[in-house]
Amino acid sequence: MRIGIAARLDIHKAIELTDDLTDFLIKNSVEVFLDPALVKKLNKYHDSAREIQDMDVDIIIAIGGDGTILRTQSFIDGKNIPIFGINMGTVGFLTEIGPEESFHALKEVLNGNYFIEERTRLEVWHNKDLAPALNEVVLMTRKPAKMLHLEIRVDDEIVEELRADGLIIATPSGSTAYAMSAGGPIVDPRVNAFIIVPICPFKLGSRPTVVSGESIISVKLLREGKKAIAVIDGQVEEEINYMEEVIFKKSDQHAYFVRLTKEFYKKVREKLIKGGIGLE
Amino acid sequence: MRIGIAARLDIHKAIELTDDLTDFLIKNSVEVFLDPALVKKLNKYHDSAREIQDMDVDIIIAIGGDGTILRTQSFIDGKNIPIFGINMGTVGFLTEIGPEESFHALKEVLNGNYFIEERTRLEVWHNKDLAPALNEVVLMTRKPAKMLHLEIRVDDEIVEELRADGLIIATPSGSTAYAMSAGGPIVDPRVNAFIIVPICPFKLGSRPTVVSGESIISVKLLREGKKAIAVIDGQVEEEINYMEEVIFKKSDQHAYFVRLTKEFYKKVREKLIKGGIGLE
Amino acid sequence: MRIGIAARLDIHKAIELTDDLTDFLIKNSVEVFLDPALVKKLNKYHDSAREIQDMDVDIIIAIGGDGTILRTQSFIDGKNIPIFGINMGTVGFLTEIGPEESFHALKEVLNGNYFIEERTRLEVWHNKDLAPALNEVVLMTRKPAKMLHLEIRVDDEIVEELRADGLIIATPSGSTAYAMSAGGPIVDPRVNAFIIVPICPFKLGSRPTVVSGESIISVKLLREGKKAIAVIDGQVEEEINYMEEVIFKKSDQHAYFVRLTKEFYKKVREKLIKGGIGLE
Amino acid sequence: MRIGIAARLDIHKAIELTDDLTDFLIKNSVEVFLDPALVKKLNKYHDSAREIQDMDVDIIIAIGGDGTILRTQSFIDGKNIPIFGINMGTVGFLTEIGPEESFHALKEVLNGNYFIEERTRLEVWHNKDLAPALNEVVLMTRKPAKMLHLEIRVDDEIVEELRADGLIIATPSGSTAYAMSAGGPIVDPRVNAFIIVPICPFKLGSRPTVVSGESIISVKLLREGKKAIAVIDGQVEEEINYMEEVIFKKSDQHAYFVRLTKEFYKKVREKLIKGGIGLE
């Protein structure tokens, strides 16, 4: 088996865990490849250095939070390599397990006791194809607390014209991330749909809308003189000008995750109700 | 062409419109069948009387509100006859047009300028199969303002255990009806999904959940000594006892509607934001 | 010191705790009075039996949940006796402490280390003055899942005309009870205000409204042929007919609670976010 | 009578109306003072030019939207001059009337048929006193779609620790502005309270909170390395650093408005449900 490893570089424990896991995997006859930045930090495994985008592996282990997963995913677009996420962050919705369970879990993986979960991604077009989103695309103003004036269409029918701080177009994966914060429903990843959630709409009667995964969603910026940005998965930013459209549809590319269990709702309860933050 | 007519009997204008439409249809060489109750009210068209469940027609015109549609649908289960709804009620989400446009619209229908929209229904099982729902099933206590204690499972995974006044399991059609009132998202009828919406949950962190149309949803009544009722489309009531389960999945039966346009979102804006009620 | 005790009769542990507390209080030279129903259950302390409405005491201990508090309060209307609530129920927002802390807490009370919190109550008028509410008045239909058509006025200005399953008029105390379930804001008990929260309004743009504690709120039942009930604090029911009004304003009577700490928000976090129900 | 006029300079009709109103007022023997920028635009009334902050008048007419009102108010802090707002903007919650009614309304005012409404303002302290807010203070990150980690206290009790895009502390006046967009309740201006509304909280169980107008609210920025800004009434920006606190309480200064009617709820219905935006 061939396994790659990527990790958050700013968390000491993530680096340490990388060391231990690499050691463990090599002892178990796995061919391991490490992000060169990790090799440099560890000053070990120099022969295993390999850029993430060049990793030709069966699985990539991503150690960090959801941001690490989203970033790792962006490097392996179009390659169908499943990601195994180990949570060192505060949220960890896309990750599979915590660090303390990681050795036991990897043993299960090496024994073949896992399955691959396929997650839908969102194709984003603005003058050209942009990086597909795994969680969501957020349209906002550059200036905090200023409103956009937007027109939303689904399959060429006007859904709504609204003034709001911003707009989220999310996949089911993204329904437990930013879209949830803005008041969207929890959407099971098995639903073939996208979610449209306004951020702070200036109107009493605005509601989240769930549209078909086969629909084409387009959003046009109406108010003259205001620029917006589209933020893809919290990573990539693209500037949108007055009267320009951004178009969304299901991507041909999916994201793949190594899973040991299918407990979606347990995660929802644990991470979003009880948790997320220390105090509560 | 063969067309049946059902109408609300308690609205004088619905009876009048039935008269005018029957006259119009006969003049246009349509074979018309009327609900015997309408024939009796009109004291005309005695030869056209036919029980709704025995109507073997191409289209049934239902004159009234959404309740009339839901009631008419319950008579023609399993027959795949499309319904053409003329709105005489306060809501009219399932209806296609208002009374003033009905003659023009029927001309279009007679000329074949329409399409059939298929809507998903929800199979409901409690000890036996109950009538499938077009909009939603509501679980509530018999006593107003008392809470139920429920366990919700999706494909055998526990989603949530909650105390609430009730619970709505809705189809996308139902997303603009009771589920909307309880805070659920608008769901495009083309999405293959069901919506689970708690009514007045006694917890800050409860959210509507959208689950796959291929999932099996089961709800169990946990609190001893309390009885619940399941109300199907606001029409049929079924009593649920302690520790009993109600199971929901997509029905093999669909509902069919005669449509002249595809403007789902226009209806949402007109009926739920602007309207519904006289004053506002 | 003179202390009365009321308790839920259907919870064995509440009866047991009554026994232990009575014993403890007598040993501490307190003159104790017990609800005769408790005396009968315990078959002890026969000389201490006293109807709750006849208790002329410094403090009444209420052992149970919020329902017990609300019921006890209804017996001592107009007497200004502070209640010390010991939580044996599932919610316990109005109660002060759990059973395990009750002896320690009572020692503090006997030593004078407590303060009296005054809570606003809501005067309810319908043809005549009804019992004032501590938490809320709920207007609903008798039949589950049927809508009311209501007109709401504040100081004679129309606030809204709406169709909904019901309407809640709550005090700040009630903001963490039923009004919270229906989507209302948390209102600090120190705010001089009432909260109007529709239950399942059939309209996208309905919002909870916070009105001044000095305002007069009136609600009129508009739809002919439908009856509603007003439920006061989940206890008292009053039938409302078509075109009748229910009028609400601040009561001259308050409720008084024995408090050891002032931690309102800690209770909100503990009882409504983490808790309430076993599983989560 | 002495009346000052301020207006939006970028709307042609606001300038025109200024001309007509000035003419009308002079004919009615009112002493009129104009913002020098208006005098320059009109190239008339040169003798009436007076900086807004130097206007010693009975009433200031502000022609524009709520932004114009908020800006005008900031120039006359501490002076208790009532503002008469004429709405040329899209929202106009603080304004009193539309341009078409302005001559009739001003006649009423000149005849003394008006009253002065006093609105509460929010004192904001961060290292020093900042400009008091009439509507709200928004705490946000400078970077769009990034979260803050905040601790909120009321009268020194921790209310909540939360991660969110931002936080709004609003007056009742602000309850129909930004706080409403973020999901807050409508609060009648007569309620002595402030509203705390998180913007996109990353937690399922977050709710708007209404606290007493006598309370002291403090918000601390917890997450290292992130800067926030406080935006006061959408006008003034102040930078907040890690571990710094912003403290809010009722200001000694109020805002005063010239009103012809007391119809608060009519405005809510008209501006927030029906309207605000052209299309709907």
Side-chain angles (χ1 to χ4, degrees):
Chain A
M1 209 179 202
R2 300 158 65 90
I3 292 182
I5 303 183
R8 269 188 76 163
L9 298 167
D10 60 338
I11 296 182
H12 184 63
K13 289 198 169 173
I15 308 289
E16 272 186 349
L17 185 62
T18 300
D19 194 1
D20 296 345
L21 287 177
T22 305
D23 193 51
F24 168 84
L25 289 170
I26 288 170
K27 279 182 183 145
N28 278 275
S29 312
V30 173
E31 198 175 346
V32 182
F33 299 91
L34 296 179
D35 176 1
L38 280 170
V39 167
K40 202 176 156 195
K41 277 263 181 191
L42 287 167
N43 198 18
K44 282 169 78 174
Y45 314 115
H46 294 281
D47 294 348
S48 301
R50 183 75 51 96
E51 297 293 340
I52 299 173
Q53 57 268 40
D54 299 329
M55 287 184 183
D56 176 23
V57 292
D58 300 301
I59 288 171
I60 290 185
I61 298 172
I63 305 169
D66 286 352
T68 315
I69 303 260
L70 293 166
R71 208 151 34 233
T72 303
Q73 177 60 49
S74 71
F75 285 120
I76 57 169
D77 266 5
K79 281 202 182 171
N80 302 357
I81 301 171
I83 294 177
F84 183 67
I86 298 174
N87 187 24
M88 308 292 287
T90 39
V91 187
F93 230 96
L94 296 168
T95 58
E96 181 60 13
I97 48 157
E100 63 293 341
E101 313 148 284
S102 56
F103 292 91
H104 175 73
L106 269 176
K107 260 181 220 158
E108 292 294 317
V109 171
L110 297 182
N111 289 328
N113 298 329
Y114 69 97
F115 66 99
I116 302 294
E117 188 189 18
E118 187 184 279
R119 288 281 180 101
T120 296
R121 298 172 77 192
L122 185 63
E123 191 176 308
V124 192
W125 185 94
H126 172 249
N127 298 328
K128 63 179 185 299
D129 269 348
L130 306 177
L134 173 51
N135 269 352
E136 81 283 294
V137 178
V138 183
L139 299 176
M140 296 195 88
T141 49
R142 273 213 180 279
K143 242 179 117 63
K146 291 286 169 190
M147 277 194 279
L148 293 176
H149 187 155
L150 300 167
E151 181 198 81
I152 307 164
R153 288 171 178 265
V154 169
D155 297 332
D156 258 338
E157 192 195 345
I158 292 182
V159 172
E160 213 177 354
E161 198 185 311
L162 90 164
R163 290 186 297 155
D165 275 17
L167 188 75
I168 301 165
I169 314 290
T171 65
S173 295
S175 78
T176 51
Y178 200 7
M180 183 277 292
S181 294
I186 304 298
V187 180
D188 191 304
R190 289 165 290 186
V191 179
N192 181 18
F194 297 113
I195 316 152
I196 303 174
V197 188
I199 302 172
C200 295
F202 194 71
K203 182 160 70 172
L204 284 172
S206 223
R207 266 303 158 93
T209 305
V210 180
V211 305
S212 168
E214 307 306 319
S215 286
I216 294 175
I217 303 163
S218 78
V219 182
K220 194 195 275 182
L221 192 62
L222 293 182
R223 181 67 61 88
E224 195 167 3
K226 294 226 178 135
K227 274 184 191 177
I229 50 168
V231 183
I232 302 173
D233 283 343
Q235 316 258 341
V236 184
E237 286 189 11
E238 166 85 5
E239 198 168 285
I240 319 293
N241 286 304
Y242 171 58
M243 288 311 279
E244 285 182 353
E245 273 189 314
V246 189
I247 294 168
F248 305 89
K249 63 176 185 180
K250 185 154 63 174
S251 174
D252 296 333
Q253 296 175 38
H254 295 83
Y256 299 92
F257 293 98
V258 173
R259 297 285 181 220
L260 303 178
T261 69
K262 302 199 175 190
E263 297 178 318
F264 171 72
Y265 294 102
K266 196 179 161 196
K267 263 192 186 163
V268 173
R269 291 196 312 272
E270 284 179 358
K271 293 186 186 295
L272 297 180
I273 297 175
K274 285 193 199 169
I277 219 166
L279 190 77
E280 291 167 15
Chain B
M1 209 178 203
R2 299 157 65 89
I3 292 183
I5 303 183
R8 270 188 76 162
L9 299 167
D10 59 337
I11 296 181
H12 184 64
K13 290 198 169 172
I15 308 288
E16 274 186 347
L17 185 63
T18 301
D19 194 2
D20 295 345
L21 287 177
T22 305
D23 194 51
F24 168 84
L25 289 171
I26 288 170
K27 280 184 182 144
N28 280 275
S29 311
V30 174
E31 198 175 346
V32 182
F33 300 91
L34 296 179
D35 177 0
L38 280 169
V39 168
K40 203 175 155 194
K41 278 261 181 191
L42 289 167
N43 199 17
K44 284 170 77 174
Y45 313 116
H46 294 279
D47 294 348
S48 301
R50 184 75 51 97
E51 296 293 340
I52 301 172
Q53 56 269 41
D54 299 330
M55 287 183 182
D56 177 22
V57 293
D58 300 301
I59 288 171
I60 290 185
I61 298 172
I63 305 169
D66 286 351
T68 314
I69 303 260
L70 292 166
R71 208 153 31 236
T72 303
Q73 177 60 49
S74 71
F75 285 119
I76 56 169
D77 266 6
K79 282 203 182 169
N80 302 355
I81 301 172
I83 294 176
F84 183 67
I86 299 174
N87 187 25
M88 307 291 287
T90 40
V91 187
F93 229 96
L94 296 167
T95 58
E96 180 60 13
I97 47 158
E100 62 293 339
E101 313 148 284
S102 55
F103 291 91
H104 175 72
L106 270 175
K107 261 181 220 158
E108 293 294 316
V109 171
L110 297 181
N111 290 330
N113 297 328
Y114 69 97
F115 66 99
I116 302 294
E117 188 189 17
E118 187 185 276
R119 288 281 179 102
T120 296
R121 298 172 77 193
L122 184 62
E123 190 176 309
V124 192
W125 186 95
H126 172 249
N127 297 327
K128 63 178 186 299
D129 268 348
L130 304 177
L134 173 52
N135 268 353
E136 80 284 294
V137 179
V138 183
L139 299 176
M140 296 196 89
T141 49
R142 272 213 182 280
K143 243 179 115 65
K146 291 286 168 189
M147 276 194 279
L148 294 176
H149 188 154
L150 300 166
E151 181 199 82
I152 307 164
R153 289 171 177 267
V154 169
D155 297 331
D156 258 337
E157 192 195 345
I158 292 182
V159 172
E160 213 177 354
E161 198 186 311
L162 90 164
R163 290 187 297 154
D165 275 17
L167 188 76
I168 301 165
I169 314 290
T171 64
S173 295
S175 77
T176 50
Y178 201 7
M180 182 277 292
S181 295
I186 304 298
V187 180
D188 191 304
R190 290 165 289 186
V191 179
N192 181 18
F194 297 113
I195 316 152
I196 304 174
V197 188
I199 302 172
C200 296
F202 193 71
K203 183 161 67 173
L204 284 172
S206 223
R207 262 310 153 90
T209 305
V210 180
V211 305
S212 168
E214 306 307 318
S215 287
I216 294 174
I217 303 163
S218 78
V219 181
K220 195 194 275 182
L221 192 62
L222 293 182
R223 181 66 62 88
E224 197 166 2
K226 294 222 179 138
K227 274 183 189 175
I229 50 167
V231 183
I232 301 173
D233 282 344
Q235 315 259 341
V236 184
E237 287 190 10
E238 166 86 5
E239 197 168 285
I240 319 293
N241 287 302
Y242 171 57
M243 288 310 280
E244 286 183 353
E245 273 188 315
V246 189
I247 295 168
F248 306 88
K249 62 175 185 181
K250 185 154 63 174
S251 174
D252 296 334
Q253 297 175 39
H254 295 83
Y256 299 91
F257 293 97
V258 173
R259 298 286 182 219
L260 302 178
T261 69
K262 303 199 174 190
E263 297 178 319
F264 171 72
Y265 293 102
K266 195 178 162 197
K267 263 192 186 164
V268 173
R269 290 197 312 271
E270 284 179 358
K271 293 188 186 294
L272 298 180
I273 296 175
K274 284 193 199 168
I277 218 166
L279 189 78
E280 291 166 13
Chain C
M1 209 179 205
R2 300 157 64 90
I3 292 184
I5 302 184
R8 268 187 76 163
L9 297 167
D10 59 337
I11 295 181
H12 184 64
K13 290 198 167 173
I15 309 288
E16 274 186 348
L17 185 62
T18 300
D19 194 1
D20 296 346
L21 287 177
T22 305
D23 194 52
F24 168 84
L25 289 170
I26 289 170
K27 280 183 183 144
N28 279 276
S29 311
V30 173
E31 195 175 350
V32 182
F33 300 91
L34 296 178
D35 177 1
L38 280 169
V39 167
K40 202 174 154 194
K41 278 261 181 192
L42 288 166
N43 200 17
K44 287 168 76 174
Y45 313 117
H46 294 280
D47 293 349
S48 302
R50 183 77 50 98
E51 297 294 339
I52 301 172
Q53 56 269 42
D54 299 330
M55 287 183 182
D56 176 24
V57 292
D58 300 301
I59 287 171
I60 290 186
I61 298 172
I63 305 170
D66 286 352
T68 314
I69 302 261
L70 293 167
R71 208 152 31 235
T72 304
Q73 177 61 49
S74 70
F75 285 119
I76 57 169
D77 265 6
K79 282 204 183 168
N80 302 356
I81 302 172
I83 294 177
F84 182 66
I86 300 175
N87 187 26
M88 309 292 286
T90 41
V91 186
F93 230 97
L94 295 169
T95 58
E96 179 61 12
I97 48 155
E100 64 291 341
E101 314 148 282
S102 54
F103 291 91
H104 175 73
L106 269 176
K107 260 181 225 159
E108 293 294 318
V109 171
L110 296 182
N111 289 329
N113 297 327
Y114 69 96
F115 65 100
I116 302 294
E117 188 189 18
E118 187 185 277
R119 288 282 180 102
T120 296
R121 297 172 79 193
L122 184 63
E123 190 176 309
V124 192
W125 186 94
H126 172 248
N127 298 327
K128 63 178 184 301
D129 268 347
L130 305 177
L134 174 51
N135 269 351
E136 79 283 295
V137 178
V138 183
L139 299 176
M140 296 196 87
T141 50
R142 273 215 180 279
K143 244 178 114 63
K146 292 286 168 189
M147 277 192 280
L148 294 176
H149 188 153
L150 300 166
E151 183 199 81
I152 307 163
R153 287 171 178 267
V154 169
D155 296 332
D156 258 338
E157 192 195 344
I158 292 183
V159 173
E160 212 178 354
E161 196 185 312
L162 90 164
R163 290 186 298 154
D165 275 16
L167 189 75
I168 301 165
I169 314 291
T171 63
S173 296
S175 77
T176 51
Y178 201 7
M180 182 276 293
S181 295
I186 305 297
V187 180
D188 191 306
R190 289 165 289 186
V191 179
N192 180 18
F194 297 112
I195 316 154
I196 304 175
V197 188
I199 303 172
C200 295
F202 193 72
K203 182 161 70 171
L204 284 172
S206 223
R207 267 301 157 94
T209 305
V210 181
V211 305
S212 167
E214 306 308 319
S215 286
I216 294 175
I217 303 163
S218 77
V219 181
K220 194 194 276 182
L221 192 62
L222 293 182
R223 180 67 59 89
E224 194 166 4
K226 294 222 178 139
K227 276 183 188 176
I229 50 169
V231 184
I232 301 173
D233 282 343
Q235 316 259 342
V236 184
E237 287 189 11
E238 166 86 4
E239 198 168 284
I240 318 294
N241 287 303
Y242 170 58
M243 288 310 281
E244 286 183 355
E245 273 189 314
V246 190
I247 294 169
F248 305 89
K249 64 175 183 180
K250 186 155 62 174
S251 174
D252 296 333
Q253 297 175 39
H254 295 83
Y256 300 91
F257 293 98
V258 173
R259 299 285 181 218
L260 302 180
T261 69
K262 303 200 174 190
E263 296 179 319
F264 171 71
Y265 294 103
K266 195 177 163 199
K267 264 194 187 163
V268 173
R269 291 196 313 271
E270 284 178 359
K271 293 189 186 291
L272 298 180
I273 296 176
K274 285 193 197 165
I277 217 166
L279 190 79
E280 291 166 14
Chain D
M1 209 178 204
R2 299 158 65 92
I3 292 184
I5 303 183
R8 269 187 75 162
L9 298 168
D10 59 337
I11 295 181
H12 184 64
K13 290 197 167 173
I15 307 289
E16 273 185 348
L17 185 62
T18 300
D19 193 2
D20 296 345
L21 287 177
T22 305
D23 194 51
F24 169 84
L25 289 170
I26 289 169
K27 282 183 182 144
N28 280 276
S29 312
V30 174
E31 196 175 348
V32 183
F33 300 90
L34 297 178
D35 176 1
L38 279 169
V39 167
K40 202 174 156 196
K41 277 261 181 191
L42 288 166
N43 199 17
K44 287 168 78 174
Y45 312 117
H46 294 280
D47 294 348
S48 302
R50 183 76 51 98
E51 297 293 339
I52 300 172
Q53 57 269 43
D54 299 331
M55 287 182 182
D56 176 22
V57 292
D58 301 300
I59 288 172
I60 289 186
I61 298 172
I63 305 169
D66 286 351
T68 314
I69 302 262
L70 293 166
R71 206 153 33 234
T72 303
Q73 177 60 50
S74 70
F75 285 119
I76 57 170
D77 266 4
K79 282 204 185 169
N80 303 355
I81 301 172
I83 294 177
F84 183 66
I86 299 175
N87 186 25
M88 308 292 287
T90 41
V91 187
F93 230 97
L94 295 168
T95 58
E96 180 61 12
I97 48 156
E100 63 290 343
E101 312 149 283
S102 55
F103 291 91
H104 175 72
L106 270 176
K107 261 181 224 161
E108 293 294 317
V109 172
L110 296 183
N111 289 329
N113 297 328
Y114 68 96
F115 65 99
I116 302 295
E117 188 188 19
E118 185 185 278
R119 289 283 180 100
T120 297
R121 298 173 77 192
L122 184 63
E123 190 176 310
V124 193
W125 186 95
H126 172 249
N127 298 328
K128 62 178 185 300
D129 268 347
L130 305 177
L134 173 52
N135 269 351
E136 80 283 295
V137 178
V138 183
L139 299 176
M140 297 196 87
T141 50
R142 274 214 178 278
K143 242 178 117 62
K146 292 285 169 192
M147 277 193 280
L148 294 177
H149 187 154
L150 300 166
E151 182 198 81
I152 307 163
R153 288 170 178 268
V154 169
D155 297 331
D156 258 337
E157 192 195 345
I158 292 183
V159 173
E160 213 178 354
E161 196 186 312
L162 90 164
R163 290 186 297 154
D165 275 17
L167 188 76
I168 300 164
I169 314 291
T171 63
S173 295
S175 78
T176 51
Y178 201 6
M180 183 277 293
S181 294
I186 305 299
V187 180
D188 191 305
R190 290 164 289 185
V191 179
N192 181 17
F194 297 112
I195 317 153
I196 305 175
V197 188
I199 302 172
C200 295
F202 194 70
K203 182 161 70 171
L204 285 172
S206 224
R207 264 304 156 92
T209 305
V210 180
V211 305
S212 168
E214 306 307 319
S215 287
I216 294 174
I217 303 164
S218 77
V219 181
K220 194 195 275 181
L221 192 63
L222 293 182
R223 181 67 60 87
E224 195 166 3
K226 295 224 178 138
K227 275 184 188 175
I229 50 169
V231 183
I232 300 173
D233 282 344
Q235 315 258 342
V236 183
E237 287 189 11
E238 166 86 3
E239 197 167 282
I240 319 293
N241 287 305
Y242 171 57
M243 289 309 283
E244 285 183 355
E245 274 189 314
V246 189
I247 294 168
F248 305 89
K249 63 175 184 180
K250 186 154 63 175
S251 174
D252 295 334
Q253 296 175 39
H254 295 83
Y256 299 91
F257 293 97
V258 173
R259 298 286 181 219
L260 302 179
T261 70
K262 302 199 175 189
E263 297 179 319
F264 171 71
Y265 294 103
K266 195 178 162 198
K267 263 192 187 164
V268 173
R269 291 197 313 273
E270 284 178 358
K271 293 189 185 293
L272 298 180
I273 296 175
K274 286 192 198 167
I277 219 167
L279 190 77
E280 288 164 18

